[in-house]
Every structure is written in structure tokens, then in C-alpha cells.
Amino acid sequence: MINVADSFVGHVLNIYLAKATDGEVLNTKVASGGAVTAILNYALDEGLIDGVVTAKRTNGLEGKAVVARSRKELLATVGNKWSIVPFASRIKTKIEENNLNQVAVVCLPCQAQFFGQMRDFPMLETDFGERIEYIISLFCMGTFAFETFINYLHMNHGIKGRDVRDIVLRGDVIEVHHPRGVLRLSIREIYRYLQVGCLVCTDYTGSWSDISAGVVETKPGWTILIARNKKADELIKNAKKRGYIEVRDGSPFIGDVITGAREKLARSQKNMMCLF
């Protein structure tokens, strides 16, 4: 067990660096390492879950909540999503429509808190928390207010929303990929186009999740995984045993994660002061 004398990232049972061993997963447009996709493939193959509820980009920056029940369907959902998807409001319908009883949810920290509290502290008979087997949260500095950011790209750079092929974060620069090339923007320049709720959110890693996943600049090509409980830790270790992922000790990189968490907390506190 790792003792992290820092409350910024939530409870940490173990921390790993991981990446997929499957070439198709690595070659698909996935966030660095592809470990989350590989672990979910393992869980589907072993029958540990009967579906994955996640977001899928549909057009430019637009997206929707979808259910993946196979490797092929899961690979079709990979890639960065930089605008918020109305996820929590639709997951109950998705679960019931697909008759799912053991689902993994891949979401953002704010959504992980909702799902985690509903699962651990159910209040209504209509709650569906007992059907959620795993909650996987992605590290998040914020998502764009869709219409505002699209208008900014169009008015200032002549890029229409439907033409955005990908958005990639590289250090302090965001790359917007479009048919004419790549637009590079300072992340500080576009903070103003984040959702208002994101500007006051303090959770970087998703402390209510079973597994938190993200990247660190100092180890490109790898996913950093935080296992928060024994069930999550066993999932990662068993995926490694079955050859789905390569795993290394991630404890030397906890400082990078804490740095990101502190930055988000500081931004939140600054913005909260402006509201009152």
C-alpha cells in the first residue's frame, strides 16, 4: 500500500503505469497507453461486466452516451472528449434498454461522484447503483462550454465545429486538429471557454471512482492508474496476468498527479473568490 500524505488525489491503494499489449488498441486513437481500453476488454472477455457505459464522439466536438458490449464497440468509443456529454441523465435509460446488470462506467470526476454516492448510499428503489460494477474516472482539468468554444474557433480561427477531428493536450498547449492542419493554443488562453462548473471544481482525479486514469508528461505512451480499493486492484493485476496490459510501478509519478490536482484546486479557489 502507498501512503500518500496528500488529500488532493483521494485514497490511493496502489498506483501503476500501464499500457495495452494489443497493437490494435495502441494504434487506435486512444489516450496515452490505452490501458483503460485494454482493462475493459479483459473485463468483457471474462464476463466480469456485461457492458461499458461511456461517451462517444459523434461529430466534431459533439458526443453521446453509448453502451459497448464487445471489443469492437469499445474500440469505436476511444479518443479524447473535450465537451461535456449529458451522461448521468441518460445512463439509467441505457442500462435498462440494454438489460445490463454489471456495468463499468467510464466518466469524469464530477460524474464519478454522482455514480459513487448513488452506488454506495442508495436512497431510492429506482436507483441503479447496484448495477454499477466499476467506476473508472479520467483525470480532468475541465470540459468546454460547447457553443462558446465552437464560436471562438469559428470567429477567431475560421474552424467550424464539425471540422474538428481531434483535440490533443501536449503540456501547456492544446492542439486542435482540423482539415487544414493543426491549431495550437495556450491552455491558459482557452480556460475562459470551460464550463462554469469546471472552473470551480476541485476534483482532478475522481476520488469517488474505483480506478482513476490519466497521463503524465514525464512518461509519454503510458497510462497512470490509481487503484482505490481491493476490487479495482485485483482487476488491474488480473488484466496484467492475462496479458492484456503491461504494468510498472507508478509511485515515482504520484508527484506529477498531485501537481495537476493542486493546480485545479488553486484555480477553483481563485474562481470561487470571484463569485462572492
Side-chain angles (χ1 to χ4, degrees):
M1 178 179 292
I2 298 173
N3 293 317
V4 181
D6 198 306
S7 61
F8 294 109
V9 298
H11 177 68
V12 177
L13 178 63
N14 271 314
I15 183 167
Y16 303 98
L17 282 176
K19 66 178 177 180
T21 58
D22 186 332
E24 185 178 1
V25 173
L26 289 172
N27 291 330
T28 304
K29 186 177 63 179
V30 296
S32 182
V36 170
T37 302
I39 289 170
L40 291 171
N41 276 330
Y42 161 74
L44 284 169
D45 289 346
E46 293 295 313
L48 302 176
I49 56 175
D50 52 13
V52 178
V53 182
T54 185
K56 179 181 180 180
R57 186 183 298 169
T58 56
N59 181 32
L61 287 177
E62 297 182 65
K64 64 179 181 179
V66 298
V67 173
R69 305 189 71 165
S70 67
R71 181 177 183 276
K72 181 179 179 181
E73 291 175 350
L74 187 60
L75 286 174
T77 69
V78 300
N80 296 315
K81 291 86 177 175
W82 286 87
S83 61
I84 193 72
V85 174
F87 195 65
S89 64
R90 296 180 183 174
I91 185 173
K92 184 175 186 291
T93 301
K94 290 293 182 183
I95 288 175
E96 291 176 344
E97 285 179 348
N98 290 271
N99 194 29
L100 302 176
N101 293 300
Q102 293 176 293
V103 302
V105 180
V106 182
C107 57
L108 301 178
C110 54
Q111 297 162 338
Q113 180 178 355
F114 169 77
F115 295 130
Q117 290 183 348
M118 184 181 61
R119 182 183 64 179
D120 296 343
F121 307 106
M123 296 179 64
L124 302 172
E125 291 183 1
T126 54
D127 285 349
F128 51 91
E130 73 279 356
R131 300 193 188 191
I132 299 176
E133 193 70 21
Y134 297 100
I135 300 171
I136 300 178
S137 174
L138 308 178
F139 294 1
C140 179
M141 288 299 289
T143 58
F144 293 125
F146 180 74
E147 294 295 340
T148 305
F149 184 61
I150 288 301
N151 185 62
Y152 162 78
L153 289 178
H154 190 201
M155 296 298 293
N156 291 273
H157 301 285
I159 301 172
K160 296 181 180 180
R162 64 175 180 268
D163 292 332
V164 176
R165 294 177 175 173
D166 198 7
I167 296 182
V168 179
L169 177 63
R170 299 190 189 281
D172 293 330
V173 174
I174 281 188
E175 296 180 349
V176 181
H177 294 247
H178 58 95
R180 301 192 307 276
V182 178
L183 171 67
R184 292 176 174 83
L185 301 168
S186 166
I187 194 168
R188 297 189 181 280
E189 177 185 350
I190 60 174
Y191 267 161
R192 72 188 74 176
Y193 302 108
L194 294 180
Q195 298 276 352
V196 174
C198 297
L199 294 175
V200 295
C201 176
T202 60
D203 193 351
Y204 174 60
T205 60
S207 58
W208 277 88
S209 64
D210 300 303
I211 297 174
S212 293
V215 297
V216 292
E217 294 178 42
T218 51
K219 200 65 176 178
W222 292 79
T223 307
I224 192 160
L225 300 174
I226 297 175
R228 300 191 182 278
N229 53 54
K230 290 183 179 180
K231 183 174 75 170
D233 200 47
E234 289 176 359
L235 179 67
I236 295 170
K237 289 178 177 177
N238 289 334
K240 175 191 175 184
K241 288 179 182 178
R242 293 297 302 272
Y244 285 76
I245 55 175
E246 179 183 347
V247 174
R248 297 180 183 176
D249 177 26
S251 57
F253 301 94
I254 188 64
D256 298 76
V257 181
I258 291 173
T259 296
R262 282 176 169 160
E263 181 180 339
K264 187 171 185 180
L265 177 61
R267 185 185 73 189
S268 170
Q269 292 173 334
K270 179 180 178 180
N271 290 324
M272 285 292 288
M273 291 175 62
C274 295
L275 294 177
F276 299 100

